[in-house]
Short mmCIF file of all heavy atoms in Angstrom, two decimals:
data_model
loop_
_atom_site.label_atom_id
_atom_site.label_comp_id
_atom_site.label_asym_id
_atom_site.label_seq_id
_atom_site.Cartn_x
_atom_site.Cartn_y
_atom_site.Cartn_z
N HIS A 69 132.15 67.56 -18.51
CA HIS A 69 132.96 68.77 -18.32
C HIS A 69 134.39 68.51 -18.80
O HIS A 69 134.83 67.36 -18.95
CB HIS A 69 132.94 69.21 -16.86
CG HIS A 69 133.68 68.31 -15.93
ND1 HIS A 69 135.04 68.33 -15.78
CD2 HIS A 69 133.23 67.36 -15.06
CE1 HIS A 69 135.42 67.43 -14.89
NE2 HIS A 69 134.33 66.83 -14.42
N GLY A 70 135.09 69.60 -19.05
CA GLY A 70 136.47 69.47 -19.54
C GLY A 70 136.53 69.59 -21.05
O GLY A 70 135.79 70.36 -21.67
N THR A 73 133.33 69.65 -23.52
CA THR A 73 132.56 70.90 -23.46
C THR A 73 133.37 72.07 -23.99
O THR A 73 132.86 72.90 -24.77
CB THR A 73 132.11 71.17 -22.02
OG1 THR A 73 131.21 70.13 -21.60
CG2 THR A 73 131.41 72.51 -21.90
N GLU A 74 134.64 72.15 -23.61
CA GLU A 74 135.49 73.26 -24.06
C GLU A 74 135.58 73.30 -25.58
O GLU A 74 135.43 74.37 -26.20
CB GLU A 74 136.89 73.13 -23.45
CG GLU A 74 136.98 73.45 -21.98
CD GLU A 74 136.86 74.93 -21.66
OE1 GLU A 74 136.81 75.76 -22.60
OE2 GLU A 74 136.79 75.26 -20.47
N ILE A 77 132.16 74.36 -27.21
CA ILE A 77 131.85 75.79 -27.07
C ILE A 77 132.80 76.62 -27.93
O ILE A 77 132.38 77.62 -28.55
CB ILE A 77 131.91 76.20 -25.59
CG1 ILE A 77 130.74 75.53 -24.83
CG2 ILE A 77 131.85 77.72 -25.43
CD1 ILE A 77 130.73 75.81 -23.35
N HIS A 81 131.76 79.24 -31.02
CA HIS A 81 132.18 80.64 -31.16
C HIS A 81 132.21 81.04 -32.63
O HIS A 81 131.92 82.19 -32.98
CB HIS A 81 133.58 80.85 -30.56
CG HIS A 81 133.59 80.86 -29.07
ND1 HIS A 81 134.76 80.78 -28.34
CD2 HIS A 81 132.59 80.95 -28.16
CE1 HIS A 81 134.47 80.82 -27.05
NE2 HIS A 81 133.16 80.91 -26.91
N ASP A 92 125.45 75.91 -21.15
CA ASP A 92 126.16 74.72 -20.70
C ASP A 92 125.35 74.10 -19.57
O ASP A 92 125.28 74.63 -18.47
CB ASP A 92 127.58 75.06 -20.22
CG ASP A 92 128.33 73.84 -19.69
OD1 ASP A 92 127.80 72.72 -19.81
OD2 ASP A 92 129.43 74.01 -19.15
N SER A 96 130.12 71.72 -15.39
CA SER A 96 131.37 72.45 -15.55
C SER A 96 131.79 73.15 -14.26
O SER A 96 130.96 73.46 -13.40
CB SER A 96 131.26 73.48 -16.68
OG SER A 96 131.22 72.85 -17.94
N PHE A 97 133.09 73.42 -14.16
CA PHE A 97 133.64 74.19 -13.05
C PHE A 97 133.23 75.65 -13.20
O PHE A 97 133.36 76.23 -14.28
CB PHE A 97 135.16 74.05 -13.06
CG PHE A 97 135.86 74.67 -11.88
CD1 PHE A 97 135.33 74.62 -10.61
CD2 PHE A 97 137.10 75.30 -12.05
CE1 PHE A 97 135.98 75.17 -9.53
CE2 PHE A 97 137.77 75.85 -10.98
CZ PHE A 97 137.21 75.79 -9.72
N LYS A 99 134.38 78.47 -12.41
CA LYS A 99 135.37 79.46 -12.87
C LYS A 99 135.55 79.39 -14.39
O LYS A 99 135.86 80.40 -15.02
CB LYS A 99 136.70 79.25 -12.15
CG LYS A 99 136.62 79.56 -10.66
CD LYS A 99 137.98 79.49 -9.98
CE LYS A 99 137.86 79.83 -8.49
NZ LYS A 99 139.16 79.82 -7.79
N ASP A 100 135.34 78.20 -14.96
CA ASP A 100 135.36 78.10 -16.42
C ASP A 100 134.18 78.86 -17.02
O ASP A 100 134.30 79.45 -18.10
CB ASP A 100 135.31 76.63 -16.85
CG ASP A 100 136.59 75.88 -16.53
OD1 ASP A 100 137.65 76.53 -16.44
OD2 ASP A 100 136.54 74.64 -16.37
N ASP A 101 133.03 78.84 -16.33
CA ASP A 101 131.87 79.59 -16.81
C ASP A 101 132.16 81.09 -16.85
O ASP A 101 131.77 81.78 -17.80
CB ASP A 101 130.66 79.34 -15.91
CG ASP A 101 130.16 77.92 -15.98
OD1 ASP A 101 129.99 77.41 -17.09
OD2 ASP A 101 129.93 77.32 -14.92
N VAL A 102 132.81 81.59 -15.81
CA VAL A 102 133.12 83.03 -15.76
C VAL A 102 133.97 83.41 -16.96
O VAL A 102 133.74 84.42 -17.63
CB VAL A 102 133.82 83.37 -14.43
CG1 VAL A 102 134.27 84.82 -14.44
CG2 VAL A 102 132.90 83.10 -13.24
N ARG A 103 134.98 82.57 -17.24
CA ARG A 103 135.86 82.83 -18.41
C ARG A 103 135.08 82.72 -19.71
O ARG A 103 135.20 83.59 -20.59
CB ARG A 103 137.02 81.84 -18.39
CG ARG A 103 137.84 81.83 -19.68
CD ARG A 103 138.97 80.84 -19.64
NE ARG A 103 138.56 79.50 -19.26
CZ ARG A 103 137.99 78.63 -20.09
NH1 ARG A 103 137.75 78.97 -21.35
NH2 ARG A 103 137.66 77.41 -19.67
N ARG A 104 134.27 81.67 -19.85
CA ARG A 104 133.54 81.47 -21.11
C ARG A 104 132.55 82.61 -21.36
O ARG A 104 132.35 83.04 -22.50
CB ARG A 104 132.79 80.14 -21.07
CG ARG A 104 133.69 78.93 -21.14
CD ARG A 104 132.82 77.69 -21.14
NE ARG A 104 133.59 76.50 -20.80
CZ ARG A 104 133.13 75.51 -20.07
NH1 ARG A 104 131.91 75.56 -19.57
NH2 ARG A 104 133.88 74.45 -19.83
N ALA A 105 131.89 83.07 -20.30
CA ALA A 105 130.94 84.17 -20.46
C ALA A 105 131.65 85.42 -20.98
O ALA A 105 131.12 86.14 -21.83
CB ALA A 105 130.25 84.47 -19.13
N ARG A 106 132.85 85.65 -20.46
CA ARG A 106 133.63 86.79 -20.94
C ARG A 106 134.02 86.61 -22.41
O ARG A 106 133.88 87.54 -23.22
CB ARG A 106 134.88 86.95 -20.08
CG ARG A 106 135.74 88.15 -20.45
CD ARG A 106 136.88 88.35 -19.47
NE ARG A 106 137.80 87.20 -19.44
CZ ARG A 106 137.90 86.34 -18.43
NH1 ARG A 106 137.12 86.48 -17.36
NH2 ARG A 106 138.75 85.33 -18.48
N GLU A 107 134.47 85.41 -22.77
CA GLU A 107 134.87 85.15 -24.15
C GLU A 107 133.67 85.24 -25.10
O GLU A 107 133.79 85.79 -26.21
CB GLU A 107 135.51 83.76 -24.25
CG GLU A 107 136.83 83.65 -23.50
CD GLU A 107 137.34 82.22 -23.38
OE1 GLU A 107 136.56 81.28 -23.68
OE2 GLU A 107 138.50 82.04 -22.97
N CYS A 108 132.53 84.73 -24.68
CA CYS A 108 131.33 84.82 -25.51
C CYS A 108 130.88 86.27 -25.63
O CYS A 108 130.47 86.73 -26.71
CB CYS A 108 130.21 83.97 -24.92
SG CYS A 108 130.41 82.19 -25.13
N GLY A 109 130.94 87.01 -24.51
CA GLY A 109 130.52 88.40 -24.52
C GLY A 109 131.32 89.25 -25.50
O GLY A 109 130.79 90.17 -26.12
N TYR A 115 125.96 83.78 -22.76
CA TYR A 115 126.35 82.50 -22.16
C TYR A 115 125.56 82.29 -20.88
O TYR A 115 125.46 83.20 -20.04
CB TYR A 115 127.85 82.50 -21.84
CG TYR A 115 128.36 81.21 -21.23
CD1 TYR A 115 128.78 80.16 -22.03
CD2 TYR A 115 128.40 81.03 -19.85
CE1 TYR A 115 129.24 78.97 -21.48
CE2 TYR A 115 128.85 79.85 -19.28
CZ TYR A 115 129.28 78.82 -20.10
OH TYR A 115 129.73 77.65 -19.55
N HIS A 186 126.41 76.99 -11.81
CA HIS A 186 127.25 75.82 -11.59
C HIS A 186 127.91 75.84 -10.21
O HIS A 186 128.24 74.77 -9.67
CB HIS A 186 128.31 75.73 -12.69
CG HIS A 186 127.81 75.05 -13.93
ND1 HIS A 186 128.26 75.38 -15.19
CD2 HIS A 186 126.88 74.07 -14.10
CE1 HIS A 186 127.65 74.63 -16.09
NE2 HIS A 186 126.80 73.84 -15.44
#
Side-chain angles (χ1 to χ4, degrees):
H69 70 80
T73 295
E74 287 287 354
I77 292 177
H81 286 167
D92 178 6
S96 288
F97 186 37
K99 293 186 179 182
D100 290 335
D101 293 312
V102 174
R103 169 180 53 79
R104 290 182 197 142
R106 182 174 62 251
E107 294 169 349
C108 286
Y115 181 88
H186 276 148

